[in-house]
């Protein structure tokens, strides 16, 4: 039987995930949608799906078994808490929430419920290149990881909607999460340096150079650029005691013509991570069908939120901002038990 999914937020990524669940993957059906822009929700709704006036009504509907939250970050807290209150598995796009206080409320609610329900949209963990990179590091042949260079470059961001805090509380969260996961480490403190401002984004604070000091002593150096113009360019290289391991350039046809020999660069995240999003939803559909969640958890969402908060403080202080995590609840110690698809 198909998993009956209700989608909240039918903007760019909401529409892409609806396409994925409707036309690419099996095992799920989008039966409901909701957006504060009702017209957009109506246009994005697949045939037969009901358009709900409010996210609350969608979450409570008997026809919805599991929820997919693709609204703006600040709206996630209330929608997540609503899903947990009715015990429905929920996939929430990043950032899970936008403050430490909100993250703790989500964790407390899920722990009180007693089973994982929340999966956060850190899709890099499902990307085959990142998985192979992690396997090399975990294999230990290169020795301990010492430094990780994470380059996160967007061609452009929506003018007016994407504000100066967002490179740190919306975009950096991916690098924070992948650093913890790749290096099997925690982030202990954060520094931010602001280079010359790019004229591409007008008054937007861009780019950012962020240093993540890991608990082990390893250091992650992150470039966040959101108006790089030439495409969506994600790179990663881990420098270890006895060698380096790096993400490959994305496989793309090598074109030779009068302009030279070149490979295309993805336009945006939809193209670069298309297979990763597919895989993240394959795994979510199985887990949600069993009433639970897998992959990046509310704990991981909380950890990334702390990094975003610390990075924003570091912009103001100019110094190194410490991160203090609360003790990890047992619920997040082991992966949820999910039977194979
Ligand atoms: P968007 O602006 O294109 O779409 C957001 C939609 O949510 C809009 O249609 C808006 O009307 C709706 N919305 C906002 N608040 C709402 C509320 N309270 N209730 C119902 N609907 C509401 O933005 P987007 O690019 O689709 O991003 C949405 C979320 O997905 C953000 O949190 C963003 O960070 C995340 N995102 C993740 C990735 C990724 O790679 N994992 C990529 C892009 C966006
Ligand atoms: C966007 O919301 C995403 O999550 C993309 O993966 C990221 O690269 C981009 O910077 C964000 O704006």
């Amino acid at each position: 039987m198909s998993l009956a999914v209700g989608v909240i937020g039918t903007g760019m990524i909401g529409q892409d995930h609806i396409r994925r669940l409707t036309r690419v993957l099996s095992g799920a059906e989008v039966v409901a949608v909701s957006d504060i822009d009702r017209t957009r929700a109506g246009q994005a709704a697949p045939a037969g799906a009901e358009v709900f006036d409010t996210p609350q009504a969608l979450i409570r509907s008997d026809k919805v078994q599991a929820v997919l939250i693709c609204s703006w970050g600040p709206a996630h807290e209330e929608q997540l808490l609503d899903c947990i209150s009715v015990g429905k598995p929920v996939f929430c796009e990043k950032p899970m929430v936008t403050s430490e206080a909100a993250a703790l409320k989500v964790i407390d609610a899920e722990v009180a419920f007693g089973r994982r329900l929340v999966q956060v949209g850190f899709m890099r963990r499902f990307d085959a290149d990142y998985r192979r990179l992690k396997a090399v590091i975990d294999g230990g042949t290169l020795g301990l990881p010492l430094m990780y260079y994470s380059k996160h470059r967007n061609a452009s961001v929506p003018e007016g909607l994407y504000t100066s805090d967002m490179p740190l509380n919306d975009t950096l969260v991916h690098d924070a999460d992948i650093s913890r996961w790749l290096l099997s480490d925690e982030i202990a403190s954060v520094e931010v340096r602001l280079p010359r401002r790019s004229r591409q984004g007008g008054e937007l604070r861009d780019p950012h150079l962020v240093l993540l000091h890991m608990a082990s002593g390893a250091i992650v150096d992150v470039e966040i650029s959101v108006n790089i113009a030439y495409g969506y360019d994600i790179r990663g290289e881990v420098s270890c005691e006895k060698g380096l391991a790096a993400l490959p350039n994305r496989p793309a046809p090598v074109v030779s013509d009068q302009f030279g020999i070149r490979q295309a660069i993805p336009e945006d995240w939809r193209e670069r991570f298309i297979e990763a999003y597919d895989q993240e939803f394959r795994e979510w559909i199985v887990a949600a069908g069993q009433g639970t969640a897998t992959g990046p958890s509310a704990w991981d969402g909380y950890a990334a939120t702390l990094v975003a908060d610390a990075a924003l403080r570091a912009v103001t202080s100019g110094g190194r901002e410490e991160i203090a995590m609360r003790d990890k609840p047992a619920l997040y110690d082991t992966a949820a038990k999910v039977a194979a698809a």
Side-chain angles (χ1 to χ4, degrees), residues 94 123 152 154 157 162 170-171 174 226 232 234 269 277:
K94 49 58 61 179
M123 76 296 183
H152 190 160
N154 286 254
V157 285
Y162 190 96
D170 188 81
T171 296
H174 282 299
V226 297
Y232 184 72
I234 302 295
W269 35 270
Y277 295 121

Side-chain angles (χ1 to χ4, degrees), residues 37 41 59 84 112 125 137 199 201 210-211 240 304 316 338:
D37 181 338
I59 291 165
I84 297 170
R125 293 188 187 208
I137 295 162
R199 292 175 298 174
V210 182
L211 287 187
C240 302
T316 311
V338 177

Side-chain angles (χ1 to χ4, degrees), residues 88-165:
K88 292 192 182 175
V90 50
F91 181 104
C92 181
E93 264 308 339
K94 49 58 61 179
M96 180 177 83
V97 289
T98 49
S99 72
E100 176 177 1
L104 290 175
K105 277 194 214 164
V106 173
I107 287 175
D108 287 344
E110 195 176 37
V111 168
F113 181 75
R115 183 170 79 234
R116 270 198 62 190
L117 291 173
V118 179
Q119 178 170 334
V120 181
F122 291 130
M123 76 296 183
R124 292 185 183 188
R125 293 188 187 208
F126 299 86
D127 178 78
D129 294 334
Y130 275 103
R131 285 184 166 185
R132 282 189 279 263
L133 184 58
K134 180 166 174 58
V136 171
I137 295 162
D138 289 351
T141 51
L142 298 182
L144 293 173
L146 308 174
M147 286 170 285
Y148 171 42
Y149 302 94
S150 189
K151 310 277 186 272
H152 190 160
R153 301 181 178 124
N154 286 254
S156 63
V157 285
E159 212 182 317
L161 279 178
Y162 190 96
T163 58
S164 278
D165 284 352

Side-chain angles (χ1 to χ4, degrees), residues 152-193:
H152 190 160
R153 301 181 178 124
N154 286 254
S156 63
V157 285
E159 212 182 317
L161 279 178
Y162 190 96
T163 58
S164 278
D165 284 352
M166 290 176 75
L168 300 177
N169 69 13
D170 188 81
T171 296
L172 173 70
V173 293
H174 282 299
D175 305 272
D177 182 68
I178 206 70
S179 301
R180 294 175 60 242
W181 178 79
L182 209 47
L183 305 183
S184 308
D185 210 341
E186 287 300 347
I187 300 166
S189 60
V190 181
E191 286 180 78
V192 177
R193 294 286 171 268

